[in-house]
Amino acid sequence: MKDGMSPPIVGIDLGTTNSVIAIIRGGHPEVVPDANDEVIVPSVVLVDLDGKIVVGRDARAALVAMPDRTIAAVKRKMGLPDTVQLGGQSWRPEEISAMILRKLRTHVELLFPDQEIEAVITVPAYFNEAQRRATKEAGELAGFRVERIINEPTAAALAYGFYNLRGERYLLVYDLGGGTFDVSVIRMSDGALEVLASTGDRALGGEDFDWRLVDALAERIMAQAGVDPREDLAARATLKEVAEQMKWQLSDKTTAEASVPVLMMHNGRPVRLDAHVTRKQFEAMISPWLERTMQLVDEVVQEAHLSADQIHDLLLVGGSTRIPWVRDHLTNRFGKAPLNTVDPDLAVALGAAVQAGLKSGQIPESTMVATDVAPFSMGIAVAERDWLGRPIPGFYHPIISKNTTIPVARTDRFYTVVDNQTEIEVEVYQGEHPRVSQNFSLGSFLVKGLPPKPAGVEAIDVTFRYNLNGMLEVKARSVSTGEEMGMVVQDALDRASPEALEKSRQQIEALATTLVDQDDEVDEDAVIDQEDDAQIVDDGAASQGWDALVREKARLVRELAQIQGHKLVASARQWIAQLEEAEASGESERLEAVLNEATDFLIDCQL
Ligand code: AMP
């Protein structure tokens, strides 16, 4: 419980479009407005002509007219080594985010004068190490003590009160904001919240809808007045504002009107805008984006190994979920309406405050343990043998698979590749591609002093530990000598050379734009030079034949069948059914995936 001495703690939704701060008061989360009673702060920063930093609504108003003095959606750049030019100065994305956080801090400073303030800040479930670390740094630059970084869907579930319920429920969090779309499936079981699967599109949101409507309005004006208003900066800014307001109207009404007597001047005459748009027309304009969100909804439910009718509750987050199409289509797809007890603009901040309150004891201790899911696979570079037995480097062996429940610790064993190999380089990567060159490098370290032995004799155990704050610890231990080396991945980007940083940046950008389509062919030129003594070979993947998988499956089924306890038995039965189905499919990849997840479940049961 609260000891009266602990510092105040806040929850912060640091959003791409808007940001919100919340606290716990009287045992309940509540958002905190600024002196003008504004709760939602547009995540836009302006350096004005006097060099003063302005954050929020006024900065947003200057966005289109003063593009070189304003910056929006800096969240997209978090964790990248890019700098942002603003008012003739260059800034790191962390510094810009810190300005937004500092503005939010002013909302609560009157409540907590001259005190250190702790913060729980949310990030999208897909954020990687570098992005989480950058967010933490931004919080610290803004003067907060960052207590925890949590995933946005987990925060949303907390806001909807899913932290002290009994029994097992599956929740789908559909988050459509201004610039991004995220969808996650969360399992709520005996007070534990766990993100089972998460996906999304980092370049899909309400802004796209505004600009689509701007295009439609501009085309009408071009047909009438023979001029493209998008080429005039001020007219473009006005059109964008008009489009967004029409979009909002269309969430409440089936038609929207707009009239601007002088949008711009052309050949000495005023160009006016008179627009009438129906909801049907607007929906037709934006349906490719909306349909894509539903496709991702289907994918995430599948990835969580559930069917639509197993989802108990639908939670809406983000301003764009006010568009009626979203609610209607989710209702049709799941046979139930989304919950509407929490304002979708505030859900994430309120949930972050709940997490803060649980931490500080302001919300009474419940049995809740907020667990989460690894947003990417993490693993190391290995060599695999070709059909002549020659080791080929550059393959990726994931040790923690994407969507594994965290915190997690996992160890895999690897062997030396060449005779008399005395060193092993452990290269750590994050990503999903079978070749490491297409994944995101997190750093590397050497394990030295191995006794010279024939290839394949010396064994090395590599352990990955991934915690709730998204920090990865890697250790490698020589089985024969006990010699151990390791690294904590949060420094990986700092240590990298500028070239490596640039490479990582490009890689992460490639990762961000959905799947990379790369040639998986083994490169014959890449056969390891037998003198190269810093490689390891993957013990598992190459030798893991179908029979071994089936044997492992039988063993797991036996263990699952012995599980006791009312609620666990139901889950264990589901896992047994999934294992049987995976075996019946004859697909080793599928069976391996289910085996890994069922093993996680068993480990969780034993914890
Ligand atoms: P968020 O990123 O969650 O703050 O969401 C901001 C986005 O929600 C912006 O694109 C807004 O235009 C959009 N939005 C806010 N209210 C509405 C509404 N009533 N109807 C449609 N979109 C809205």
mmCIF file of all heavy atoms in Angstrom, residues 559-574:
data_model
loop_
_atom_site.group_PDB
_atom_site.id
_atom_site.type_symbol
_atom_site.label_atom_id
_atom_site.label_comp_id
_atom_site.label_asym_id
_atom_site.label_seq_id
_atom_site.Cartn_x
_atom_site.Cartn_y
_atom_site.Cartn_z
ATOM 1 N N GLU A 559 2.346 -34.263 -20.507
ATOM 2 C CA GLU A 559 2.467 -33.292 -19.402
ATOM 3 C C GLU A 559 1.208 -32.445 -19.256
ATOM 4 O O GLU A 559 0.748 -32.179 -18.152
ATOM 5 C CB GLU A 559 3.671 -32.374 -19.634
ATOM 6 C CG GLU A 559 4.975 -33.063 -19.317
ATOM 7 C CD GLU A 559 6.114 -32.074 -19.175
ATOM 8 O OE1 GLU A 559 5.866 -30.971 -18.652
ATOM 9 O OE2 GLU A 559 7.226 -32.408 -19.608
ATOM 10 N N LEU A 560 0.657 -32.050 -20.415
ATOM 11 C CA LEU A 560 -0.546 -31.202 -20.379
ATOM 12 C C LEU A 560 -1.715 -31.947 -19.738
ATOM 13 O O LEU A 560 -2.520 -31.369 -19.007
ATOM 14 C CB LEU A 560 -0.922 -30.754 -21.802
ATOM 15 C CG LEU A 560 -0.010 -29.688 -22.422
ATOM 16 C CD1 LEU A 560 -0.222 -29.611 -23.936
ATOM 17 C CD2 LEU A 560 -0.269 -28.319 -21.800
ATOM 18 N N ALA A 561 -1.774 -33.265 -20.025
ATOM 19 C CA ALA A 561 -2.889 -34.062 -19.510
ATOM 20 C C ALA A 561 -2.832 -34.177 -17.989
ATOM 21 O O ALA A 561 -3.826 -34.477 -17.344
ATOM 22 C CB ALA A 561 -2.864 -35.447 -20.155
ATOM 23 N N GLN A 562 -1.630 -33.923 -17.422
ATOM 24 C CA GLN A 562 -1.512 -34.060 -15.960
ATOM 25 C C GLN A 562 -1.812 -32.758 -15.214
ATOM 26 O O GLN A 562 -1.792 -32.722 -13.989
ATOM 27 C CB GLN A 562 -0.086 -34.503 -15.619
ATOM 28 C CG GLN A 562 0.114 -35.979 -15.935
ATOM 29 C CD GLN A 562 1.567 -36.358 -15.865
ATOM 30 O OE1 GLN A 562 2.371 -35.623 -15.339
ATOM 31 N NE2 GLN A 562 1.878 -37.518 -16.413
ATOM 32 N N ILE A 563 -2.041 -31.708 -15.978
ATOM 33 C CA ILE A 563 -2.271 -30.411 -15.323
ATOM 34 C C ILE A 563 -3.555 -30.434 -14.509
ATOM 35 O O ILE A 563 -4.560 -31.008 -14.933
ATOM 36 C CB ILE A 563 -2.305 -29.300 -16.388
ATOM 37 C CG1 ILE A 563 -0.870 -28.989 -16.757
ATOM 38 C CG2 ILE A 563 -3.012 -28.055 -15.895
ATOM 39 C CD1 ILE A 563 -0.721 -27.840 -17.671
ATOM 40 N N GLN A 564 -3.483 -29.818 -13.338
ATOM 41 C CA GLN A 564 -4.654 -29.798 -12.464
ATOM 42 C C GLN A 564 -5.117 -28.372 -12.258
ATOM 43 O O GLN A 564 -4.390 -27.437 -12.520
ATOM 44 C CB GLN A 564 -4.273 -30.407 -11.121
ATOM 45 C CG GLN A 564 -3.603 -31.761 -11.322
ATOM 46 C CD GLN A 564 -3.906 -32.701 -10.201
ATOM 47 O OE1 GLN A 564 -4.144 -32.266 -9.107
ATOM 48 N NE2 GLN A 564 -3.900 -33.986 -10.498
ATOM 49 N N GLY A 565 -6.297 -28.254 -11.755
ATOM 50 C CA GLY A 565 -6.821 -26.900 -11.479
ATOM 51 C C GLY A 565 -7.832 -26.558 -12.546
ATOM 52 O O GLY A 565 -7.546 -26.632 -13.737
ATOM 53 N N HIS A 566 -8.963 -26.148 -12.089
ATOM 54 C CA HIS A 566 -10.135 -25.954 -12.923
ATOM 55 C C HIS A 566 -9.845 -25.144 -14.190
ATOM 56 O O HIS A 566 -10.077 -25.572 -15.310
ATOM 57 C CB HIS A 566 -11.206 -25.280 -12.066
ATOM 58 C CG HIS A 566 -12.401 -24.864 -12.831
ATOM 59 N ND1 HIS A 566 -13.170 -25.779 -13.512
ATOM 60 C CD2 HIS A 566 -12.927 -23.649 -13.039
ATOM 61 C CE1 HIS A 566 -14.149 -25.121 -14.100
ATOM 62 N NE2 HIS A 566 -14.019 -23.827 -13.833
ATOM 63 N N LYS A 567 -9.232 -23.949 -14.010
ATOM 64 C CA LYS A 567 -9.080 -23.063 -15.165
ATOM 65 C C LYS A 567 -7.978 -23.528 -16.080
ATOM 66 O O LYS A 567 -8.067 -23.420 -17.301
ATOM 67 C CB LYS A 567 -8.808 -21.654 -14.677
ATOM 68 C CG LYS A 567 -10.069 -21.087 -14.138
ATOM 69 C CD LYS A 567 -9.959 -19.722 -13.637
ATOM 70 C CE LYS A 567 -11.176 -19.410 -12.833
ATOM 71 N NZ LYS A 567 -10.948 -19.594 -11.404
ATOM 72 N N LEU A 568 -6.921 -24.048 -15.466
ATOM 73 C CA LEU A 568 -5.782 -24.467 -16.274
ATOM 74 C C LEU A 568 -6.131 -25.671 -17.135
ATOM 75 O O LEU A 568 -5.644 -25.815 -18.255
ATOM 76 C CB LEU A 568 -4.591 -24.791 -15.374
ATOM 77 C CG LEU A 568 -4.021 -23.565 -14.651
ATOM 78 C CD1 LEU A 568 -2.903 -23.965 -13.721
ATOM 79 C CD2 LEU A 568 -3.507 -22.548 -15.668
ATOM 80 N N VAL A 569 -7.000 -26.537 -16.604
ATOM 81 C CA VAL A 569 -7.365 -27.745 -17.360
ATOM 82 C C VAL A 569 -7.983 -27.353 -18.694
ATOM 83 O O VAL A 569 -7.653 -27.921 -19.743
ATOM 84 C CB VAL A 569 -8.340 -28.624 -16.543
ATOM 85 C CG1 VAL A 569 -8.973 -29.684 -17.417
ATOM 86 C CG2 VAL A 569 -7.601 -29.272 -15.396
ATOM 87 N N ALA A 570 -8.853 -26.334 -18.664
ATOM 88 C CA ALA A 570 -9.508 -25.911 -19.912
ATOM 89 C C ALA A 570 -8.466 -25.448 -20.922
ATOM 90 O O ALA A 570 -8.493 -25.840 -22.097
ATOM 91 C CB ALA A 570 -10.501 -24.790 -19.617
ATOM 92 N N SER A 571 -7.494 -24.657 -20.462
ATOM 93 C CA SER A 571 -6.453 -24.178 -21.377
ATOM 94 C C SER A 571 -5.593 -25.342 -21.857
ATOM 95 O O SER A 571 -5.232 -25.417 -23.032
ATOM 96 C CB SER A 571 -5.547 -23.156 -20.691
ATOM 97 O OG SER A 571 -6.300 -22.077 -20.284
ATOM 98 N N ALA A 572 -5.275 -26.248 -20.938
ATOM 99 C CA ALA A 572 -4.424 -27.389 -21.315
ATOM 100 C C ALA A 572 -5.112 -28.209 -22.403
ATOM 101 O O ALA A 572 -4.475 -28.651 -23.366
ATOM 102 C CB ALA A 572 -4.145 -28.258 -20.085
ATOM 103 N N ARG A 573 -6.429 -28.372 -22.269
ATOM 104 C CA ARG A 573 -7.177 -29.136 -23.289
ATOM 105 C C ARG A 573 -7.082 -28.440 -24.639
ATOM 106 O O ARG A 573 -6.929 -29.088 -25.673
ATOM 107 C CB ARG A 573 -8.639 -29.269 -22.876
ATOM 108 C CG ARG A 573 -8.817 -30.310 -21.836
ATOM 109 C CD ARG A 573 -10.226 -30.912 -21.907
ATOM 110 N NE ARG A 573 -10.441 -31.674 -20.688
ATOM 111 C CZ ARG A 573 -11.306 -31.344 -19.754
ATOM 112 N NH1 ARG A 573 -12.094 -30.311 -19.910
ATOM 113 N NH2 ARG A 573 -11.420 -32.070 -18.664
ATOM 114 N N GLN A 574 -7.180 -27.120 -24.587
ATOM 115 C CA GLN A 574 -7.068 -26.368 -25.857
ATOM 116 C C GLN A 574 -5.705 -26.590 -26.489
ATOM 117 O O GLN A 574 -5.573 -26.755 -27.697
ATOM 118 C CB GLN A 574 -7.252 -24.876 -25.601
ATOM 119 C CG GLN A 574 -8.699 -24.476 -25.525
ATOM 120 C CD GLN A 574 -8.839 -22.962 -25.345
ATOM 121 O OE1 GLN A 574 -7.873 -22.231 -25.397
ATOM 122 N NE2 GLN A 574 -10.051 -22.516 -25.102
#
